[in-house]
Amino acid sequence: MAGFTPQSLPHWRRAVLKVGSSLLADAGGGLADVHAAGLARFIAQSREQGREVVLVSSGAVAAGRGRINAGGDGIAMKQALAALGQAALIGFWQALSAAPVAQVLLSHDDLRNRRRYLNARAALQELLRLGALPVVNENDTVAVDELKLGDNDNLAAAVASLVDADLLLIATDIGGLYSAHPQRDPDARPITQVDQVTPELLQAAGGGAGALGTGGMRTKLEAAGKAASAGIPSVLFCGRDPAVVAALGAGVLHGTLVAALANRRSARKQWLGHAPASGVLRIDAGAGAALLRGASLLPGGVLAVAGDFRRGDVVEVRSEDGIVLARGQAQYNAADGARIAGRHSREIEAILGFRYGEALVHRDDLVLLQHPEDGKEAMA
């Protein structure tokens, strides 16, 4: 296990697992399951423990090369190979998974565009609710600028934030982070924990010439740094070592832990609690009591909708007598919210012609500010 001192994995319920093409590509072309099988067993074991995993998988180009004998390495060729390989990549993971596998193709533009971001978030959350294994990949066929080595590391960090993950797992082809290049410096020491991804650390890990540069380590540290700033810890581990992968299933890490800069839940609640609200949802006593029990805000308990907010905007949730009970991100805009207020969730699609979910504000996107029954503040 490459000398890494074992440590406990952070507690997690939902994780994003990133697997690079170096762990999937067959030397003769196509995909090989020699390393993927162990990672698939870890996913299955995690699901049996009641946890959720979103898989960010490279390998479409490698899968495409396995389907057609073509030379060249230009952008257009890689795009074509990615298109040829996407179905094979999903079939590859489906063969290793008892759960239904769903393909989700994203680009960074999808994550920058407000509407597409919310749609991707809703789709991934629904897939997890249905018990599917989402397999996310860069939309290489159309994403010219993004089609480069290591980009799926940063995509994985973005997906971890998108789905409110508790942990980002990055499978590498070495043990983790070292104090120097382990193949060039016999005195290189394993680094079991990183408190902060600093510019100096990134510079040392940059490229093959960097002191730590090996196997795209810079992009993995960049991804871990982005996850850390969102309150999500990351782990780097060797996906080629069956014992290391098996230990993850028992909650033990032999690799590098990159700590989160802040508690994700606290940071998100702080933001939701103090972000400017674009509207107000006035609710009845029954809905208020349900919120206190940790439920989502369903349209049936909404008495009135005020303001001109868009889907994803922060809204205040108030009691019948005007007490601000909570803040959260609206699943529907103001006009649609007003149309479904007071109606049962099963009527949403019939009324609007579409459905983003059963809640006006999902419990994952809501923070209580005061207790409905006594008006006392629930958080600062």
Side-chain angles (χ1 to χ4, degrees), residues 157-380:
V159 171
S161 181
L162 178 70
V163 300
D164 291 328
D166 306 302
L167 183 64
L168 172 60
L169 300 130
I170 302 178
T172 74
D173 48 15
I174 60 172
L177 185 64
Y178 291 83
S179 61
H181 197 304
Q183 296 173 353
R184 299 174 184 165
D185 188 343
D187 296 323
R189 293 174 290 99
I191 299 175
T192 57
Q193 184 156 349
V194 173
D195 294 327
Q196 186 173 359
V197 178
T198 62
E200 294 76 17
L201 185 60
L202 287 174
Q203 184 177 2
L212 312 179
T214 176
M217 185 55 69
R218 181 186 177 99
T219 62
K220 292 170 176 55
L221 285 175
E222 285 176 348
K226 290 176 181 178
S229 65
I232 304 170
S234 301
V235 297
L236 312 177
F237 67 95
C238 183
R240 294 178 179 271
D241 189 330
V244 168
V245 177
L248 289 176
V252 178
L253 168 65
H254 295 267
T256 301
L257 169 65
V258 181
L261 296 181
N263 178 274
R264 177 167 179 77
R265 180 167 295 180
S266 296
R268 181 165 175 77
K269 284 191 173 184
Q270 191 74 7
W271 175 76
L272 285 172
H274 298 284
S278 302
V280 174
L281 303 176
R282 196 176 296 273
I283 65 174
D284 60 28
L291 293 186
L292 185 60
R293 295 194 299 269
S296 298
L297 176 58
L298 304 180
V302 177
L303 301 173
V305 176
D308 184 20
F309 54 87
R310 299 176 297 169
R311 181 177 175 230
D313 283 349
V314 175
V315 295
E316 286 185 347
V317 180
R318 299 189 179 190
S319 65
E320 293 184 63
D321 53 0
I323 296 174
V324 181
L325 306 177
R327 289 175 186 261
Q329 287 183 284
Q331 288 274 77
Y332 296 86
N333 65 31
D336 293 334
R339 292 177 64 190
I340 61 176
R343 307 296 289 270
H344 198 282
S345 295
R346 63 172 172 263
E347 300 178 80
I348 292 176
E349 189 163 3
I351 295 170
L352 301 179
F354 60 88
R355 172 188 168 106
Y356 290 129
E358 67 175 11
L360 261 173
V361 182
H362 193 274
R363 63 184 180 185
D364 290 344
D365 301 321
L366 183 144
V367 57
L368 287 175
L369 300 180
Q370 300 187 27
H371 294 305
E373 71 276 11
D374 58 16
K376 295 180 180 177
E377 292 189 359
M379 65 169 285

Side-chain angles (χ1 to χ4, degrees), residues 17-19 23-24 35-44 93 171 237 239 245 248:
L17 170 62
K18 189 268 176 180
V19 181
L23 297 173
L24 303 177
H35 305 306
L39 294 166
R41 284 192 294 272
F42 164 70
I43 294 172
W93 284 112
F237 67 95
V245 177
L248 289 176

